[in-house]
Amino acid sequence: MLSEKAQAEITEIVKRYPVRRSAILPALWIAQREFGYLSEEAMRAVANLLELNPTQVYEVVTFYTMYSLKPSGRYVLQVCRTLSCAICGAMEIISHLEKRLGIKEGETTPDRLFTLRYVECIAACGNAPAMQINQDYYENLTVQKVDQILNELATVGKSSLASGPFMCP
Amino acid sequence: MPVYEEIILKNMKLPGYKGEISDYKRQGGYRALSKVLKELTPDQVIEIVKQSGLRGRGGAGFPTGLKWSFIPKDPQVPKYLCCNADESEPGTFKDRQLIERDPHQMIEGLIISSYAIGAHVAYIYTRGEFFHGAVVLEKALAEARDCGCIGKNILGSGYDLEVFVHRGAGAYICGEETALLESIEGKRGMPRFKPPFPATHGLYGKPTVVNNVETLANVPHIILRGAEWYASIGTPKSAGTRIFSVSGHVKRPGNYEVPMGISLRELIYEHAGGILGDRRLKAVIPGGASAAFFTPDHLDVKLDFEEVAKAGSMLGSGGVTVMDETICMVWAAMNLLQFFHHESCGKCTPCREGSFWLHRVLKRIEEGQGQMEDLDLMVNLSNNIGGKTICAFGDAEIAPVLSTLKYFRGEYEDHIRQRRCTLRQLPALAGSPTSA
Ligand SMILES: Cc1cc2nc3c(=O)[nH]c(=O)nc-3n(C[C@H](O)[C@H](O)[C@H](O)COP(=O)(O)O)c2cc1C
Ligand code: SF4
Ligand code: FES
């Protein structure tokens, strides 16, 4: 079940639109924040709140790549593989990550700390190569920086290398 | 290096400028809004923006004032303004900076634009990845509301407007304006057939304007400094400045705001500092991944909508990706077709199946398994995609294929004859082609 707080948040968001269904993306974000992923139960809860058929929720969830139908690791590494990053070293970053974590695209480490995903351009091309981890961006990546980021996340739960407000150059 | 006056990147570069409402107001922020509400009718605002020559910065370059003038005037009919902050075109990273560094500038532009078309509700659609951007915008909207610039009876004028952030969840296609509307309506982000256009049948079937972040950010400046001033910058048909996002093999990648009409050479060699390691330039994409490749022969093309189109590509989103001599063009096209295949929404067959096949054939050539017939096959496939799809994505996905085939055919033939890439220094692309 969605928490009282989550339900209240969604009810508030519904008011922004003339149509309840419009609140589906924000509601799914809230549900995913609560459960870590979108279980059948979570999708049903969103459908109930928005007075929708569960399949109307499911068809939306499966269209957008940032919703997850299964549990992910605590940190989801989303490495950009599109052209500007690819020609500025993204492939080295990717092979390093695969080697260091011992996993491939879509997999999660056995300690459930890291999930590895490859994504398309994340609007950081001037600071290539780049990746997003959960909500934060990490840019101008090198193998050394990647090691530092992973070490910091594994030990203190956040990394000093996360990008601040974006400005390039 | 030629230095030009920046208009919309100016504030954020001032020392100590944090983009809060006090920072923005100190630079004259919200004066344009006040002027509009006190002195101008909606039609006058539309006329000024028409006269300024402002054209959309999202990709198509449609004249902004003209777009607004298509909105029916009936006050009984609800109208909407949607700010397109989806910024997903590969190579483009200007809106992210405009949002995170100076959110009030685009918000002021959005309020003025909403007034011009008679909208009382506006949505800012950000891509899902812009979590921090959405937080910045929410905070800025709250500040603007506290100052009476949003909400009921704005600045005592009797005009009401509510503005909400709507965050997407990962889908390139939601940058296409009708897909964006579907997404706000709570559906899969699949483009609608046009006509009817959003100006008459948009969000919830009501008259709607969709404008890009950079387009809206220009509006307050046009109001304050006048249409004539704006029209005097750039070229006659492409007025104003343009932010080019330069990435790839240049010494100083970044966002450069320059008058429209400077040469590609000036942008790459002066502003972006030239090619990394002083290697040779091989190819440039001038307007995001949807634009055809250029070669060093195009360096003197003037960067405005007309000239770039005349030279066979498009100014598009202003994302300029620079590739040096070490990059294999078959590989580059394959990388982009992986993108297009991954992002095709699947609504129309030529695009859905065509992007799959184009990517597959490119991969096979790149891996040394291609045949000469494959080159004609790709042209044939492309001819059955271009102009035959619901949205412009179809034309976009064939641009990298046809342009690399046109300018670098020899490189394709080498791959096929020698059964390998003789250039490649890069390991194989990550991810399997079917992981979409
Ligand atoms: C496939 C596709 C993707 C697009 N992506 C974006 C985008 O990310 N941001 C944007 O502003 N416009 C994008 N556009 C253009 C929009 O459809 C629309 O023309 C634009 O937002 C209108 O605003 P403007 O007139 O201010 O440029 C895209 C178009 C297509 C066909
Ligand atoms: S052209 Fe492609 S992206 Fe556009 S509607 Fe058709 S399938 Fe979807
Ligand atoms: S190509 Fe990687 S962020 Fe744009």
Side-chain angles (χ1 to χ4, degrees):
Chain A
M1 263 306 283
L2 286 165
S3 68
E4 298 269 317
K5 179 171 169 276
Q7 295 194 29
E9 262 180 271
I10 295 172
T11 312
E12 208 40 50
I13 287 172
V14 165
K15 296 182 190 153
R16 299 175 178 179
Y17 310 95
V19 169
R20 281 182 94 76
R21 184 177 182 163
S22 278
I24 191 164
L25 295 190
L28 288 168
W29 278 123
I30 291 168
Q32 183 156 296
R33 188 190 71 204
E34 292 244 313
F35 298 102
Y37 72 108
L38 294 167
S39 61
E40 211 180 294
E41 191 202 335
M43 289 186 278
R44 279 185 195 282
V46 168
N48 274 338
L49 265 176
L50 301 182
E51 294 161 15
L52 296 170
N53 191 310
T55 53
Q56 291 175 306
V57 175
Y58 185 70
E59 70 171 17
V60 166
V61 170
T62 51
F63 185 80
Y64 298 92
T65 56
M66 296 179 82
Y67 295 130
S68 182
L69 286 166
K70 53 182 207 295
S72 318
R74 184 178 308 161
Y75 302 106
V76 183
L77 313 179
Q78 302 148 75
V79 191
C80 174
R81 65 175 174 197
T82 317
L83 192 58
S84 297
C85 285
I87 65 175
C88 291
M91 299 309 143
E92 284 86 329
I93 300 296
I94 283 172
S95 24
H96 178 71
L97 279 169
E98 290 188 349
K99 219 166 20 196
R100 170 169 167 153
L101 299 173
I103 53 175
K104 297 241 173 287
E105 170 171 36
E107 295 177 351
T108 300
T109 52
D111 60 8
R112 306 218 55 84
L113 215 45
F114 298 108
T115 297
L116 189 56
R117 280 205 200 126
Y118 305 138
V119 298
E120 303 297 348
C121 182
I122 57 173
C125 335
N127 291 336
M131 70 170 157
Q132 183 166 25
I133 305 181
N134 298 357
Q135 286 147 358
D136 293 324
Y137 273 56
Y138 295 85
E139 299 168 68
N140 291 311
L141 293 174
T142 59
V143 166
Q144 291 73 22
K145 278 195 192 171
V146 167
D147 282 337
Q148 186 186 335
I149 294 163
L150 296 194
N151 291 340
E152 288 176 346
L153 290 178
T155 51
V156 292
K158 62 189 247 218
S159 169
S160 54
L161 294 179
S163 303
F166 179 63
M167 178 94 100
C168 180
Chain B
M1 178 175 82
V3 179
Y4 306 102
E5 187 198 348
E6 290 177 315
I7 300 170
I8 50 177
L9 291 185
K10 185 171 161 197
N11 290 344
M12 65 180 78
K13 294 186 178 171
L14 297 170
Y17 191 89
K18 291 210 289 293
E20 287 165 7
I21 198 160
S22 53
D23 298 314
Y24 185 58
K25 282 194 163 174
R26 217 169 291 130
Q27 301 310 317
Y30 289 107
R31 270 191 19 228
L33 176 64
S34 157
K35 175 175 168 169
V36 162
L37 294 178
K38 280 204 194 94
E39 299 170 18
L40 301 171
T41 64
D43 281 344
Q44 285 172 319
V45 176
I46 294 178
E47 194 51 35
I48 291 171
V49 172
K50 261 193 197 166
Q51 294 301 327
S52 75
L54 177 65
R55 292 171 66 174
R57 304 297 195 241
F62 195 84
T64 306
L66 186 63
K67 188 191 272 190
W68 295 355
S69 72
F70 295 151
I71 295 291
K73 307 280 179 217
D74 183 354
Q76 299 308 313
V77 179
K79 305 167 189 82
Y80 297 99
L81 187 111
C82 297
C83 170
N84 192 339
D86 192 61
E87 189 163 62
S88 308
E89 181 71 18
T92 318
F93 47 91
K94 63 191 174 64
D95 297 340
R96 184 174 156 222
Q97 184 166 323
L98 290 169
I99 292 166
E100 294 189 8
R101 288 284 179 166
D102 205 4
H104 285 286
Q105 179 176 243
M106 57 162 286
I107 290 172
E108 186 181 10
L110 174 136
I111 304 169
I112 296 171
S113 310
S114 300
Y115 172 78
I117 63 162
H120 297 290
V121 179
Y123 298 100
I124 304 175
Y125 188 96
T126 73
R127 62 181 293 176
E129 290 80 358
F130 286 178
F131 175 84
H132 288 296
V135 170
V136 169
L137 285 169
E138 296 275 14
K139 179 168 169 274
L141 290 174
E143 288 175 337
R145 212 167 274 134
D146 286 345
C147 287
C149 296
I150 292 178
K152 290 246 173 296
N153 191 18
I154 295 176
L155 303 176
S157 66
Y159 173 63
D160 305 336
L161 176 71
E162 284 305 329
V163 185
F164 303 107
V165 178
H166 190 96
R167 184 167 148 242
Y172 164 73
I173 195 59
C174 288
E176 196 280 335
E177 57 185 7
T178 58
L180 182 150
L181 301 178
E182 290 284 299
S183 187
I184 298 181
E185 290 185 8
K187 303 175 194 154
R188 294 168 78 103
M190 290 178 157
R192 300 175 183 165
F193 196 81
K194 291 190 276 194
F197 292 94
T200 52
H201 297 73
L203 190 60
Y204 309 114
K206 301 289 186 268
T208 302
V209 160
V210 181
N211 271 139
N212 172 260
V213 170
E214 185 186 347
T215 312
L216 296 177
N218 276 293
V219 170
H221 302 279
I222 292 171
I223 297 295
L224 281 183
R225 297 173 75 174
E228 244 170 69
W229 160 79
Y230 196 80
S232 73
I233 303 166
T235 60
K237 285 191 175 158
S238 299
T241 59
R242 181 88 212 239
I243 303 177
F244 290 102
S245 304
V246 188
S247 68
H249 296 144
V250 289
K251 289 180 188 164
R252 280 196 306 272
N255 285 318
Y256 296 98
E257 184 184 6
V258 295
M260 292 236 221
I262 72 162
S263 69
L264 185 58
R265 184 188 306 278
E266 180 185 326
L267 182 69
I268 294 176
Y269 286 91
E270 306 267 358
H271 300 279
I275 310 298
L276 211 56
D278 291 320
R279 288 191 295 263
R280 274 213 311 265
L281 171 68
K282 184 165 183 180
V284 193
I285 307 175
S290 304
F293 282 45
F294 273 167
T295 68
D297 290 342
H298 296 96
L299 278 172
D300 292 312
V301 171
K302 303 274 180 257
L303 296 173
D304 72 14
F305 289 110
E306 281 68 33
E307 294 299 313
V308 174
K310 221 187 286 168
S313 187
M314 66 171 185
L315 202 54
S317 67
V320 177
T321 302
V322 177
M323 288 163 270
D324 73 15
E325 57 193 332
T326 63
I327 299 302
C328 164
M329 290 297 113
V330 180
W331 180 88
M334 177 180 76
N335 177 287
L336 291 178
L337 264 293
Q338 171 172 280
F339 166 82
F340 284 114
H341 171 49
H342 184 263
E343 299 298 337
S344 167
C345 85
K347 187 167 179 173
C348 26
T349 315
C351 169
R352 183 186 63 237
E353 303 301 318
S355 59
F356 170 82
W357 281 106
L358 283 174
H359 177 245
R360 212 168 132 133
V361 174
L362 282 163
K363 188 158 186 286
R364 146 166 116 206
I365 299 173
E366 209 276 338
E367 288 171 350
Q369 308 292 317
Q371 298 166 347
M372 283 303 169
E373 298 86 75
D374 285 342
L375 304 186
D376 291 337
L377 176 63
M378 285 197 292
V379 174
N380 187 329
L381 274 167
S382 299
N383 290 340
N384 282 295
I385 301 170
K388 296 188 166 66
T389 56
I390 292 173
C391 85
F393 187 107
D395 303 320
E397 75 194 75
I398 64 176
V401 179
L402 294 180
S403 58
T404 51
L405 268 173
K406 176 171 171 194
Y407 299 122
F408 303 99
R409 195 179 177 94
E411 219 164 285
Y412 279 93
E413 291 171 354
D414 276 356
H415 279 76
I416 293 165
R417 270 196 218 100
Q418 306 204 27
R419 309 218 133 267
R420 71 191 174 95
C421 176
T422 51
L423 250 175
R424 187 166 82 194
Q425 304 181 326
L426 297 152
L429 272 184
S432 69
T434 48
S435 65

mmCIF file of all heavy atoms in Angstrom, chain B residues 25-59:
data_model
loop_
_atom_site.group_PDB
_atom_site.id
_atom_site.type_symbol
_atom_site.label_atom_id
_atom_site.label_comp_id
_atom_site.label_asym_id
_atom_site.label_seq_id
_atom_site.Cartn_x
_atom_site.Cartn_y
_atom_site.Cartn_z
ATOM 1 N N LYS B 25 15.956 39.803 -10.358
ATOM 2 C CA LYS B 25 15.349 41.142 -10.319
ATOM 3 C C LYS B 25 16.413 42.230 -10.336
ATOM 4 O O LYS B 25 16.207 43.295 -10.922
ATOM 5 C CB LYS B 25 14.456 41.283 -9.088
ATOM 6 C CG LYS B 25 13.101 40.605 -9.265
ATOM 7 C CD LYS B 25 12.132 41.036 -8.186
ATOM 8 C CE LYS B 25 10.702 40.708 -8.594
ATOM 9 N NZ LYS B 25 9.769 40.980 -7.498
ATOM 10 N N ARG B 26 17.531 41.951 -9.706
ATOM 11 C CA ARG B 26 18.623 42.940 -9.704
ATOM 12 C C ARG B 26 19.095 43.216 -11.139
ATOM 13 O O ARG B 26 19.570 44.297 -11.441
ATOM 14 C CB ARG B 26 19.787 42.421 -8.845
ATOM 15 C CG ARG B 26 20.475 43.508 -8.058
ATOM 16 C CD ARG B 26 21.446 42.930 -7.021
ATOM 17 N NE ARG B 26 20.754 42.252 -5.939
ATOM 18 C CZ ARG B 26 21.051 41.020 -5.503
ATOM 19 N NH1 ARG B 26 22.023 40.322 -6.060
ATOM 20 N NH2 ARG B 26 20.372 40.484 -4.518
ATOM 21 N N GLN B 27 18.967 42.237 -11.998
ATOM 22 C CA GLN B 27 19.362 42.440 -13.399
ATOM 23 C C GLN B 27 18.189 42.913 -14.256
ATOM 24 O O GLN B 27 18.205 42.801 -15.475
ATOM 25 C CB GLN B 27 19.930 41.136 -13.980
ATOM 26 C CG GLN B 27 21.150 40.599 -13.235
ATOM 27 C CD GLN B 27 22.215 41.665 -13.026
ATOM 28 O OE1 GLN B 27 22.521 42.445 -13.922
ATOM 29 N NE2 GLN B 27 22.799 41.690 -11.825
ATOM 30 N N GLY B 28 17.157 43.400 -13.627
ATOM 31 C CA GLY B 28 16.011 43.903 -14.399
ATOM 32 C C GLY B 28 14.937 42.860 -14.640
ATOM 33 O O GLY B 28 14.024 43.082 -15.434
ATOM 34 N N GLY B 29 15.064 41.733 -13.965
ATOM 35 C CA GLY B 29 14.102 40.652 -14.162
ATOM 36 C C GLY B 29 12.686 41.051 -13.756
ATOM 37 O O GLY B 29 12.497 41.812 -12.815
ATOM 38 N N TYR B 30 11.716 40.533 -14.464
ATOM 39 C CA TYR B 30 10.281 40.752 -14.274
ATOM 40 C C TYR B 30 9.844 42.180 -14.603
ATOM 41 O O TYR B 30 8.688 42.532 -14.408
ATOM 42 C CB TYR B 30 9.812 40.323 -12.867
ATOM 43 C CG TYR B 30 9.822 38.804 -12.728
ATOM 44 C CD1 TYR B 30 10.787 38.151 -11.959
ATOM 45 C CD2 TYR B 30 8.884 38.027 -13.398
ATOM 46 C CE1 TYR B 30 10.822 36.765 -11.877
ATOM 47 C CE2 TYR B 30 8.904 36.639 -13.314
ATOM 48 C CZ TYR B 30 9.880 36.018 -12.550
ATOM 49 O OH TYR B 30 9.906 34.651 -12.472
ATOM 50 N N ARG B 31 10.758 43.012 -15.116
ATOM 51 C CA ARG B 31 10.342 44.330 -15.596
ATOM 52 C C ARG B 31 9.564 44.199 -16.896
ATOM 53 O O ARG B 31 8.629 44.950 -17.153
ATOM 54 C CB ARG B 31 11.565 45.241 -15.781
ATOM 55 C CG ARG B 31 11.879 46.021 -14.507
ATOM 56 C CD ARG B 31 12.918 47.125 -14.700
ATOM 57 N NE ARG B 31 13.110 47.529 -16.086
ATOM 58 C CZ ARG B 31 14.309 47.653 -16.668
ATOM 59 N NH1 ARG B 31 15.403 47.410 -15.991
ATOM 60 N NH2 ARG B 31 14.404 48.048 -17.914
ATOM 61 N N ALA B 32 9.978 43.229 -17.712
ATOM 62 C CA ALA B 32 9.269 43.026 -18.978
ATOM 63 C C ALA B 32 7.828 42.585 -18.703
ATOM 64 O O ALA B 32 6.892 43.072 -19.344
ATOM 65 C CB ALA B 32 9.988 41.983 -19.835
ATOM 66 N N LEU B 33 7.661 41.707 -17.721
ATOM 67 C CA LEU B 33 6.317 41.249 -17.386
ATOM 68 C C LEU B 33 5.454 42.416 -16.928
ATOM 69 O O LEU B 33 4.308 42.575 -17.353
ATOM 70 C CB LEU B 33 6.375 40.174 -16.288
ATOM 71 C CG LEU B 33 5.016 39.689 -15.801
ATOM 72 C CD1 LEU B 33 4.255 38.980 -16.912
ATOM 73 C CD2 LEU B 33 5.157 38.757 -14.595
ATOM 74 N N SER B 34 6.037 43.244 -16.070
ATOM 75 C CA SER B 34 5.298 44.377 -15.555
ATOM 76 C C SER B 34 4.900 45.317 -16.698
ATOM 77 O O SER B 34 3.771 45.793 -16.779
ATOM 78 C CB SER B 34 6.174 45.036 -14.493
ATOM 79 O OG SER B 34 5.831 46.339 -14.322
ATOM 80 N N LYS B 35 5.834 45.531 -17.617
ATOM 81 C CA LYS B 35 5.539 46.385 -18.767
ATOM 82 C C LYS B 35 4.398 45.792 -19.615
ATOM 83 O O LYS B 35 3.473 46.502 -20.005
ATOM 84 C CB LYS B 35 6.802 46.528 -19.619
ATOM 85 C CG LYS B 35 6.587 47.296 -20.900
ATOM 86 C CD LYS B 35 7.868 47.525 -21.669
ATOM 87 C CE LYS B 35 7.509 48.019 -23.063
ATOM 88 N NZ LYS B 35 8.632 48.517 -23.815
ATOM 89 N N VAL B 36 4.483 44.515 -19.854
ATOM 90 C CA VAL B 36 3.456 43.852 -20.666
ATOM 91 C C VAL B 36 2.077 44.008 -20.033
ATOM 92 O O VAL B 36 1.114 44.389 -20.685
ATOM 93 C CB VAL B 36 3.797 42.350 -20.844
ATOM 94 C CG1 VAL B 36 2.587 41.553 -21.286
ATOM 95 C CG2 VAL B 36 4.930 42.196 -21.844
ATOM 96 N N LEU B 37 2.005 43.722 -18.716
ATOM 97 C CA LEU B 37 0.702 43.730 -18.061
ATOM 98 C C LEU B 37 0.135 45.143 -17.943
ATOM 99 O O LEU B 37 -1.068 45.338 -17.955
ATOM 100 C CB LEU B 37 0.805 43.062 -16.692
ATOM 101 C CG LEU B 37 1.140 41.561 -16.722
ATOM 102 C CD1 LEU B 37 1.262 41.009 -15.310
ATOM 103 C CD2 LEU B 37 0.091 40.778 -17.512
ATOM 104 N N LYS B 38 1.038 46.127 -17.846
ATOM 105 C CA LYS B 38 0.552 47.506 -17.697
ATOM 106 C C LYS B 38 0.242 48.157 -19.033
ATOM 107 O O LYS B 38 -0.697 48.934 -19.150
ATOM 108 C CB LYS B 38 1.621 48.341 -16.981
ATOM 109 C CG LYS B 38 1.619 48.151 -15.478
ATOM 110 C CD LYS B 38 2.238 49.371 -14.773
ATOM 111 C CE LYS B 38 2.541 49.046 -13.312
ATOM 112 N NZ LYS B 38 3.928 48.580 -13.123
ATOM 113 N N GLU B 39 1.074 47.867 -20.027
ATOM 114 C CA GLU B 39 1.011 48.694 -21.243
ATOM 115 C C GLU B 39 0.544 47.990 -22.504
ATOM 116 O O GLU B 39 0.194 48.657 -23.472
ATOM 117 C CB GLU B 39 2.411 49.284 -21.532
ATOM 118 C CG GLU B 39 2.936 50.172 -20.427
ATOM 119 C CD GLU B 39 4.406 50.532 -20.641
ATOM 120 O OE1 GLU B 39 4.897 50.384 -21.787
ATOM 121 O OE2 GLU B 39 5.054 50.935 -19.659
ATOM 122 N N LEU B 40 0.602 46.648 -22.524
ATOM 123 C CA LEU B 40 0.368 45.993 -23.809
ATOM 124 C C LEU B 40 -0.820 45.032 -23.779
ATOM 125 O O LEU B 40 -1.039 44.333 -22.783
ATOM 126 C CB LEU B 40 1.621 45.213 -24.229
ATOM 127 C CG LEU B 40 2.902 46.039 -24.386
ATOM 128 C CD1 LEU B 40 4.103 45.116 -24.593
ATOM 129 C CD2 LEU B 40 2.775 46.998 -25.567
ATOM 130 N N THR B 41 -1.542 44.984 -24.871
ATOM 131 C CA THR B 41 -2.594 43.978 -25.013
ATOM 132 C C THR B 41 -1.937 42.691 -25.512
ATOM 133 O O THR B 41 -0.819 42.732 -26.063
ATOM 134 C CB THR B 41 -3.642 44.401 -26.060
ATOM 135 O OG1 THR B 41 -2.982 44.464 -27.334
ATOM 136 C CG2 THR B 41 -4.249 45.756 -25.724
ATOM 137 N N PRO B 42 -2.624 41.558 -25.325
ATOM 138 C CA PRO B 42 -2.051 40.308 -25.857
ATOM 139 C C PRO B 42 -1.680 40.429 -27.337
ATOM 140 O O PRO B 42 -0.615 39.974 -27.759
ATOM 141 C CB PRO B 42 -3.173 39.295 -25.627
ATOM 142 C CG PRO B 42 -3.888 39.809 -24.414
ATOM 143 C CD PRO B 42 -3.836 41.306 -24.539
ATOM 144 N N ASP B 43 -2.544 41.042 -28.120
ATOM 145 C CA ASP B 43 -2.249 41.162 -29.554
ATOM 146 C C ASP B 43 -1.011 42.000 -29.817
ATOM 147 O O ASP B 43 -0.252 41.725 -30.759
ATOM 148 C CB ASP B 43 -3.455 41.770 -30.291
ATOM 149 C CG ASP B 43 -4.528 40.725 -30.531
ATOM 150 O OD1 ASP B 43 -4.207 39.516 -30.410
ATOM 151 O OD2 ASP B 43 -5.675 41.108 -30.815
ATOM 152 N N GLN B 44 -0.805 43.000 -29.005
ATOM 153 C CA GLN B 44 0.412 43.815 -29.187
ATOM 154 C C GLN B 44 1.663 42.990 -28.882
ATOM 155 O O GLN B 44 2.679 43.133 -29.555
ATOM 156 C CB GLN B 44 0.349 45.057 -28.289
ATOM 157 C CG GLN B 44 -0.613 46.114 -28.826
ATOM 158 C CD GLN B 44 -0.811 47.260 -27.843
ATOM 159 O OE1 GLN B 44 -0.936 47.053 -26.628
ATOM 160 N NE2 GLN B 44 -0.846 48.489 -28.360
ATOM 161 N N VAL B 45 1.569 42.148 -27.858
ATOM 162 C CA VAL B 45 2.727 41.300 -27.538
ATOM 163 C C VAL B 45 3.017 40.368 -28.722
ATOM 164 O O VAL B 45 4.175 40.219 -29.154
ATOM 165 C CB VAL B 45 2.479 40.469 -26.260
ATOM 166 C CG1 VAL B 45 3.652 39.529 -25.991
ATOM 167 C CG2 VAL B 45 2.234 41.369 -25.066
ATOM 168 N N ILE B 46 1.978 39.777 -29.262
ATOM 169 C CA ILE B 46 2.161 38.876 -30.406
ATOM 170 C C ILE B 46 2.799 39.641 -31.567
ATOM 171 O O ILE B 46 3.732 39.151 -32.219
ATOM 172 C CB ILE B 46 0.805 38.264 -30.838
ATOM 173 C CG1 ILE B 46 0.272 37.341 -29.736
ATOM 174 C CG2 ILE B 46 0.957 37.495 -32.151
ATOM 175 C CD1 ILE B 46 -1.081 36.710 -30.031
ATOM 176 N N GLU B 47 2.330 40.857 -31.790
ATOM 177 C CA GLU B 47 2.860 41.653 -32.898
ATOM 178 C C GLU B 47 4.348 41.963 -32.696
ATOM 179 O O GLU B 47 5.147 41.864 -33.637
ATOM 180 C CB GLU B 47 2.036 42.948 -33.024
ATOM 181 C CG GLU B 47 2.241 43.711 -34.317
ATOM 182 C CD GLU B 47 2.077 42.859 -35.573
ATOM 183 O OE1 GLU B 47 1.234 41.947 -35.586
ATOM 184 O OE2 GLU B 47 2.834 43.103 -36.551
ATOM 185 N N ILE B 48 4.716 42.313 -31.472
ATOM 186 C CA ILE B 48 6.124 42.617 -31.191
ATOM 187 C C ILE B 48 6.989 41.385 -31.450
ATOM 188 O O ILE B 48 8.054 41.467 -32.084
ATOM 189 C CB ILE B 48 6.294 43.087 -29.715
ATOM 190 C CG1 ILE B 48 5.635 44.455 -29.524
ATOM 191 C CG2 ILE B 48 7.768 43.140 -29.322
ATOM 192 C CD1 ILE B 48 5.551 44.912 -28.078
ATOM 193 N N VAL B 49 6.525 40.240 -30.973
ATOM 194 C CA VAL B 49 7.330 39.022 -31.154
ATOM 195 C C VAL B 49 7.395 38.642 -32.639
ATOM 196 O O VAL B 49 8.437 38.200 -33.136
ATOM 197 C CB VAL B 49 6.783 37.879 -30.268
ATOM 198 C CG1 VAL B 49 7.468 36.559 -30.572
ATOM 199 C CG2 VAL B 49 6.974 38.235 -28.792
ATOM 200 N N LYS B 50 6.302 38.875 -33.356
ATOM 201 C CA LYS B 50 6.332 38.657 -34.813
ATOM 202 C C LYS B 50 7.386 39.542 -35.467
ATOM 203 O O LYS B 50 8.216 39.085 -36.262
ATOM 204 C CB LYS B 50 4.962 39.023 -35.399
ATOM 205 C CG LYS B 50 4.053 37.860 -35.658
ATOM 206 C CD LYS B 50 2.888 38.351 -36.534
ATOM 207 C CE LYS B 50 1.748 37.368 -36.497
ATOM 208 N NZ LYS B 50 0.508 37.938 -37.046
ATOM 209 N N GLN B 51 7.334 40.828 -35.119
ATOM 210 C CA GLN B 51 8.266 41.801 -35.719
ATOM 211 C C GLN B 51 9.720 41.482 -35.379
ATOM 212 O O GLN B 51 10.629 41.790 -36.147
ATOM 213 C CB GLN B 51 7.960 43.224 -35.232
ATOM 214 C CG GLN B 51 6.611 43.775 -35.685
ATOM 215 C CD GLN B 51 6.483 43.814 -37.203
ATOM 216 O OE1 GLN B 51 7.468 44.034 -37.908
ATOM 217 N NE2 GLN B 51 5.292 43.556 -37.709
ATOM 218 N N SER B 52 9.937 40.893 -34.212
ATOM 219 C CA SER B 52 11.319 40.625 -33.787
ATOM 220 C C SER B 52 11.975 39.557 -34.651
ATOM 221 O O SER B 52 13.190 39.447 -34.717
ATOM 222 C CB SER B 52 11.341 40.157 -32.331
ATOM 223 O OG SER B 52 10.888 38.810 -32.257
ATOM 224 N N GLY B 53 11.152 38.743 -35.307
ATOM 225 C CA GLY B 53 11.699 37.664 -36.130
ATOM 226 C C GLY B 53 12.089 36.432 -35.331
ATOM 227 O O GLY B 53 12.711 35.512 -35.875
ATOM 228 N N LEU B 54 11.722 36.377 -34.053
ATOM 229 C CA LEU B 54 12.067 35.210 -33.225
ATOM 230 C C LEU B 54 11.490 33.933 -33.819
ATOM 231 O O LEU B 54 10.311 33.886 -34.169
ATOM 232 C CB LEU B 54 11.530 35.404 -31.796
ATOM 233 C CG LEU B 54 11.748 34.246 -30.812
ATOM 234 C CD1 LEU B 54 13.240 34.022 -30.536
ATOM 235 C CD2 LEU B 54 11.004 34.488 -29.499
ATOM 236 N N ARG B 55 12.349 32.929 -33.933
ATOM 237 C CA ARG B 55 11.910 31.615 -34.424
ATOM 238 C C ARG B 55 12.233 30.544 -33.392
ATOM 239 O O ARG B 55 13.179 30.679 -32.624
ATOM 240 C CB ARG B 55 12.604 31.300 -35.751
ATOM 241 C CG ARG B 55 12.131 32.232 -36.857
ATOM 242 C CD ARG B 55 12.953 32.094 -38.105
ATOM 243 N NE ARG B 55 12.804 30.787 -38.741
ATOM 244 C CZ ARG B 55 13.346 30.488 -39.916
ATOM 245 N NH1 ARG B 55 14.066 31.377 -40.575
ATOM 246 N NH2 ARG B 55 13.182 29.289 -40.434
ATOM 247 N N GLY B 56 11.449 29.485 -33.394
ATOM 248 C CA GLY B 56 11.575 28.444 -32.369
ATOM 249 C C GLY B 56 12.965 27.840 -32.313
ATOM 250 O O GLY B 56 13.563 27.547 -33.343
ATOM 251 N N ARG B 57 13.426 27.625 -31.092
ATOM 252 C CA ARG B 57 14.763 27.057 -30.894
ATOM 253 C C ARG B 57 14.725 25.556 -30.608
ATOM 254 O O ARG B 57 15.745 24.958 -30.315
ATOM 255 C CB ARG B 57 15.453 27.767 -29.722
ATOM 256 C CG ARG B 57 15.562 29.292 -29.845
ATOM 257 C CD ARG B 57 16.411 29.703 -31.025
ATOM 258 N NE ARG B 57 16.814 31.103 -30.958
ATOM 259 C CZ ARG B 57 16.494 32.026 -31.858
ATOM 260 N NH1 ARG B 57 15.744 31.732 -32.874
ATOM 261 N NH2 ARG B 57 16.942 33.267 -31.729
ATOM 262 N N GLY B 58 13.538 24.972 -30.661
ATOM 263 C CA GLY B 58 13.413 23.552 -30.335
ATOM 264 C C GLY B 58 13.847 22.635 -31.458
ATOM 265 O O GLY B 58 14.222 21.488 -31.238
ATOM 266 N N GLY B 59 13.824 23.122 -32.681
ATOM 267 C CA GLY B 59 14.234 22.267 -33.783
ATOM 268 C C GLY B 59 13.737 22.753 -35.135
ATOM 269 O O GLY B 59 14.493 22.889 -36.082
#
